[in-house]
Amino acid sequence: MDRSDERQPAYHLRRDDGLCGSALLSLLSMLLSSPAIAARENREYDCRPDIKYECTVDQCEKIVSDFQHAEWFAYSTTTGELSACLWTNCYAAKATVFRDPASGNLTAMGKLIPTAHPGNEPIIVSLTIGTGNNDTANFTAVWGYRNEGLTFDIGKCALRELR
């Protein structure tokens, strides 16, 4: 039995994958160099929550009022800084950023250092921002990570293009 016929399809798949990969790489290069993509790299996101969940191992409590004035999140694609003001302290640090190519979502995560009251403990914050339109985008922020639970806020970010 001649096995060369069995191997042939696998060879074609590898060759096609290489062609597909190089075409994808070319398309990605064109997209990254386009003005629409470049403009997105010079943005500031000012995120204000509408709804908050305080979660424990047993349950999450939905909170819809009396916290919006005391919590906000921001991310700058230019500086890579993630910041948050949470009640009596503000925090900031360079973030690690993850982008989901399929959805266009951006997640910035970091261990933020207190700026208003430097003696306080740092906090870990993750901020996921949807693609949105020219003016706003939805966000989810997770913070207050602890053994017994966490807090997350949901709301809208105002987008500002930087020049």
Side-chain angles (χ1 to χ4, degrees), residues 120-140:
N120 289 3
E121 292 293 316
I123 63 167
I124 295 173
V125 173
S126 67
L127 177 65
T128 299
I129 302 167
T131 54
N133 59 35
N134 291 335
D135 299 325
T136 62
N138 293 328
F139 83 91
T140 301

Side-chain angles (χ1 to χ4, degrees), residues 13-83:
L13 287 175
R14 280 191 296 253
R15 186 177 64 187
D16 291 346
D17 285 347
L19 291 173
C20 184
S22 64
L24 185 58
L25 187 58
S26 296
L27 177 61
L28 183 58
S29 296
M30 288 185 327
L31 287 174
L32 289 175
S33 63
S34 75
I37 299 294
R40 296 183 77 194
E41 294 307 314
N42 293 315
R43 282 190 169 177
E44 282 187 354
Y45 297 88
D46 179 15
C47 306
R48 307 294 172 139
D50 297 318
I51 299 169
K52 173 180 175 173
Y53 290 88
E54 292 179 346
C55 299
T56 64
V57 173
D58 299 323
Q59 68 181 3
C60 286
E61 179 183 354
K62 182 178 181 179
I63 301 168
V64 295
S65 63
D66 298 332
F67 71 93
Q68 290 90 345
H69 67 283
E71 298 176 11
W72 66 263
F73 305 87
Y75 176 69
S76 170
T77 59
T78 304
T79 64
E81 185 175 87
L82 173 62
S83 55

